[in-house]
Amino acid sequence: KIIFEDDLQPLDASELKWSALRVPLPWDAYLSQCRVATHERRMAEMDAAHTKVMKRHTATLEACEATDQKQWREAAWKFNEAAHPKAPDTRTSLEICFVMDCTGSMRRHIDTCQKSVMKIAEGLHEDVKLRMSFVAYRDYKGSTGSDAATTKTRKIFRPYEEGEVKVCPFTEDISVLRSMVQSQKAISGRGSDRPEDLCGGL
């Protein structure tokens, strides 16, 4: 049987390899062995390629299924929303800001005031569309300074460094207001009853 060189290359066969075999084989048997090895190699390559394609295919199917489920949920939600529309919120809109004295003179009363603020807020929150804010103001601190025009010494009041005005911006979340209100402590200016920064609070 005549085997051309072009036919031997795909089989990874050659006369050199045939002659170098440790166990001599007839030429036809050697070619058959090469065909089997080539077939097994090609089948392994095809299996690997098939596995790779199937992984991509499975991933694509899973992505499509997830998309379909998401779209179905969105469609069901829109249908339910259309079938059962929410009643418009007809409650009165209200913005309320609580301004509270949190100076040292309030130590005996601050707990009661905090509870009162939250009681009012929670009561209104049920009946009106409410946005709430909270401001805590404290004392000024006193220091001595000179007036450049008259060279006289005069009293200068500045915001107390441990206090300052604390602000909770307007919010509809009552838990945010509660956290701000309950965190406030009564603080005074260093053992004396300084003027309160009421204007700063307002």
Side-chain angles (χ1 to χ4, degrees), residues 30-167:
Y30 166 68
L31 290 180
S32 296
Q33 192 179 64
C34 291
R35 288 190 185 95
V36 171
T38 301
H39 174 73
E40 290 176 348
R41 186 180 69 253
R42 288 176 178 173
M43 288 299 295
E45 291 172 353
M46 289 175 64
D47 285 344
H50 179 261
T51 300
K52 188 175 181 180
V53 169
M54 286 306 298
K55 283 183 178 179
R56 291 181 179 176
H57 179 64
T58 302
T60 302
L61 286 177
E62 289 175 351
C64 291
E65 184 177 355
T67 302
D68 290 343
Q69 290 177 355
K70 182 180 178 182
Q71 290 176 347
W72 186 88
R73 286 195 298 269
E74 289 177 353
W77 180 79
K78 289 180 181 179
F79 175 79
N80 289 331
E81 190 180 48
H84 308 286
K86 292 182 180 179
D89 192 347
T90 57
R91 296 179 302 168
T92 302
S93 296
L94 176 66
E95 288 186 341
I96 181 169
C97 177
F98 299 94
V99 182
M100 193 164 81
D101 181 351
C102 292
T103 61
S105 60
M106 290 290 291
R107 281 194 184 92
R108 291 180 295 173
H109 312 291
I110 193 165
D111 289 342
T112 303
C113 290
Q114 288 168 325
K115 291 175 182 176
S116 297
V117 167
M118 292 313 305
K119 186 176 180 181
I120 294 169
E122 288 166 358
L124 289 172
H125 198 265
E126 297 175 359
D127 301 323
V128 299
K129 191 175 181 181
L130 185 64
R131 295 180 73 238
M132 303 151 291
S133 175
F134 178 79
V135 177
Y137 66 89
R138 292 185 170 83
D139 289 340
Y140 277 89
K141 69 172 182 178
S143 63
T144 302
S146 60
D147 191 328
T150 62
T151 66
K152 292 182 179 180
T153 301
R154 60 187 178 87
K155 201 72 170 178
I156 300 172
F157 290 103
R158 298 188 178 88
Y160 181 54
E161 64 269 16
E162 291 183 32
E164 300 183 353
V165 176
K166 302 295 184 183
V167 179

